[in-house]
Amino acid sequence: LDLQMTLRLQRTVVEQKRRHLELVIQAIEQAERALAASEKLDWETFKQIIEVINMQSDMEWMKEYYTEEQLAELAERGTPEVLERGQRDWAALIKDVEAAIAAGLDPHSEQAQALAARWSSLIEAFTGGNPAIRESLTRLYADQANWPSTFKQPYSDEVGAFLSQAGAACKKE
């Protein structure tokens, strides 16, 4: 790597850490305000602080699946707003797929294929169309046996199987 690329990567990593620290500071400030306003211990607020602080270490293990360049690209696109919207979109999609499964929807149906298309669209948004990042993401999910016990797959195996079948049906058409 040339010096300019090395500096850019380093800056991206430091900016990512700064964003995390800003989240921690916001959570602590919220706890201070809540405590000052009510003078009671709000354990939910303190739980949130701990979750924000632990979030960084909980996700650290994922970095081994990506190159420094890929991490820099993900960090560059991963503003707090983008991450929040992505989490909302993923949660809504998973909920919709779970509802489709509960309703007995055929994975080959048009509705199921629309869910699979949403899934692909969200993966495309995450990877930014970068095939190397997509490959790294695939490797990460293929290696679930080595995930830390504290990290759980964000969707059930049933959801994964349904989307796989629906996605395969999309490709056949």
Side-chain angles (χ1 to χ4, degrees):
L1 295 175
D2 63 25
L3 181 58
Q4 188 174 14
M5 172 70 104
T6 302
L7 290 171
R8 186 173 65 85
L9 289 173
Q10 199 59 38
R11 179 178 42 82
T12 302
V13 168
V14 171
E15 286 172 347
Q16 188 177 18
K17 287 181 181 182
R18 180 178 63 193
R19 281 193 296 270
H20 177 257
L21 288 173
E22 287 170 358
L23 288 173
V24 171
I25 290 168
Q26 288 173 4
I28 292 170
E29 287 173 344
Q30 180 183 353
E32 288 173 333
R33 284 191 302 272
L35 191 57
S38 68
E39 300 211 8
K40 293 180 186 173
L41 285 177
D42 178 359
W43 291 111
E44 238 356 88
T45 304
F46 289 108
K47 179 182 169 196
Q48 180 185 9
I49 293 170
I50 292 168
E51 286 173 358
V52 170
I53 292 169
N54 288 337
M55 180 175 58
Q56 178 70 25
S57 59
D58 286 349
M59 303 308 254
E60 201 66 31
W61 65 273
M62 288 185 181
K63 291 182 178 181
E64 73 182 61
Y65 295 92
Y66 298 94
T67 65
E68 287 297 321
E69 292 82 7
Q70 291 170 345
L71 290 170
E73 182 179 330
L74 289 168
E76 202 169 292
R77 285 187 283 114
T79 65
E81 297 80 23
V82 167
L83 294 174
E84 186 178 322
R85 185 177 63 243
Q87 287 176 342
R88 258 194 333 267
D89 291 348
W90 279 107
L93 175 59
I94 291 167
K95 183 179 177 184
D96 291 348
V97 173
E98 289 168 343
I101 292 168
L105 189 66
D106 180 0
H108 299 92
S109 71
E110 203 172 294
Q111 287 176 293
Q113 291 179 22
L115 292 169
R118 280 173 60 195
W119 185 272
S120 291
S121 177
L122 288 173
I123 289 176
E124 185 73 14
F126 172 77
T127 65
N130 183 327
I133 292 177
R134 186 181 189 101
E135 183 180 313
S136 295
L137 179 65
T138 301
R139 258 195 357 259
L140 184 150
Y141 271 84
D143 194 30
Q144 289 182 32
N146 291 311
W147 287 5
S149 60
T150 56
F151 187 81
K152 304 294 179 216
Q153 178 174 289
Y155 55 89
S156 69
D157 290 339
E158 194 175 24
V159 166
F162 181 89
L163 287 166
S164 180
Q165 290 174 0
C170 279
K171 291 176 184 172
K172 286 181 183 177
E173 293 184 2

